[in-house]
Amino acid sequence: MGQQEKVATSLAGAVSEEISASLTAVDAELARRYPGDPGTRQPVHTVYVPGDTFTADTIRSWGDRAIEALDEHAPDAASFAAVLGIPDELAAPVHDRVRAKLEREPVEDLRIDFEDGYGLRPDAEEDEAAARAARLVSGAYGNGTAAPYMGIRMKCMEAAVRDRGIRTTDIFLTGLMQAGGLPDGLVLTLPKVTYPEQVTAFVRLLEAFEQAHGLPAGRLGFEIQIETSQSILAADGTAAVARMIDAARGRATGLHYGTFDYSACVGVSAAYQASDHPAADHAKAVMQVAAAGTGVRVSDGSTNVLPVGSTPQVHEAWRLHYGLTRRALARAYYQGWDMHPGHLPTRYAAVYTFYREGLEQAAARLAAYVAKAGGDVLDEPATAKALSGYLLRGIDCGALDTAEVVRLTGLTRAELDGFASPRRADLTVTAP
């Protein structure tokens, strides 16, 4: 070996120490504001059910009705693939996995709605419905029939309905506590947020509940629903949604785009209100940038075109929903809303096709990166993170099997978790 290269420097060590000291507060702020992805499973959708119609068998009923729709309008893999344009080689795997999903876990995230889907009712009626929702949710987690994530959407923090929203939240959470405690999959959704101060107020409500029941500080998180133009661009020209995340003080878990309220707010006529409208794209792009690195997930909205009626009508609605879901996935919106059981087949078909068609390429790129084998694409650590995250999302929703991903990448599940997120690697994840 040759003589070791002599290295010369010009700066005293004190310079580096001084610079580091000057950035200590920034380092702490970066760690606080941008902790990265939480590493937990993100559901591929949220299903909304009005508070007065939710029952103990709602989830199973949605799955059964979705299977009935498949049997009536696309009874086999070939016909289902033909409707949606799924490649021939994926027709059978996707169809089989969709049916299995509908039988095993038809709903990944369910929200019992006490806002627009429920409306204004006498106080006694909503009180009873909120208490009943708590009892049913607790029972579902107890007997194994719950969705992985469940909770309520209460009324917003605007003056006209604020007290009612606070009371419903209190009744629901109190009912859960009386029935045995808060389930791990509990999710709360705060709608029609316009000012960060409304987020601050909701945080205060949750803090008070935690204190009343001796719960750990921060136990209760919530989603912020983006349904007004003011939540994207504040009166002073700032991105209000970023300030809302900060106002949540670490409790925000998601930003959910409200397709129709937001569209109406910015003046889009009813015939053109859709999740692929330019106004929607702008709002979601701002949400996405505001949430990046914070651990807050972004969800797309819904379509109001229901797959009902004749077979041609159902097929047309399916193609629309499938296309919107695939479009969202390509734009890194990995979650959306489903408003009808007939949307479930195309939700899962779009998600499963998205992950299965990219499986081999993603696995090969990740394996090459780990082996430093090179190839026709020069990947960096950030890309390896994205590749492993893609594969893990596919596993979590049932599009991919852990065994096939391990075989194709040569990596264990723990190693995949480590590439995707340090926080994910610290969790024990059970794949479906």
Side-chain angles (χ1 to χ4, degrees), residues 44-135:
V44 302
H45 69 169
T46 302
V47 162
Y48 278 79
V49 179
D52 58 333
T53 64
F54 176 67
T55 66
D57 66 350
T58 290
I59 293 174
R60 184 63 266 152
S61 173
W62 272 59
D64 291 343
R65 291 168 63 189
I67 292 172
E68 290 171 2
L70 268 179
D71 289 341
E72 180 177 356
H73 302 292
D76 53 46
S79 59
F80 192 47
V83 171
L84 303 178
I86 297 173
D88 291 343
E89 64 273 16
L90 292 179
V94 168
H95 177 266
D96 292 347
R97 286 174 183 270
V98 168
R99 286 194 69 97
K101 179 75 168 180
L102 295 175
E103 292 169 355
R104 180 187 74 251
E105 187 184 74
V107 175
E108 291 195 358
D109 182 27
L110 185 138
R111 207 68 71 250
I112 305 167
D113 191 14
F114 287 96
E115 202 230 357
D116 285 349
Y118 184 77
L120 298 175
R121 310 286 182 94
D123 282 339
E125 183 177 342
E126 184 161 339
D127 284 354
E128 183 179 354
R132 176 173 164 273
R135 175 174 52 80

Side-chain angles (χ1 to χ4, degrees), residues 116 192 225-232 256-284 287 300-304 324 337:
D116 285 349
K192 292 184 176 59
Q225 206 158 359
I226 304 300
E227 301 177 272
T228 67
S229 61
Q230 296 90 344
S231 60
I232 295 298
H256 283 229
Y257 176 68
T259 304
F260 304 101
D261 280 285
Y262 187 90
S263 297
C265 182
V266 297
V268 179
S269 61
Y272 297 95
Q273 292 178 358
S275 62
D276 59 352
H277 190 279
D281 285 341
H282 171 259
K284 287 180 286 187
M287 292 163 58
D300 199 1
S302 63
T303 176
N304 59 359
L324 290 173
W337 299 3

Side-chain angles (χ1 to χ4, degrees), residues 129 179 236 270 376 391 431:
D236 61 1
D376 59 352
L391 295 170

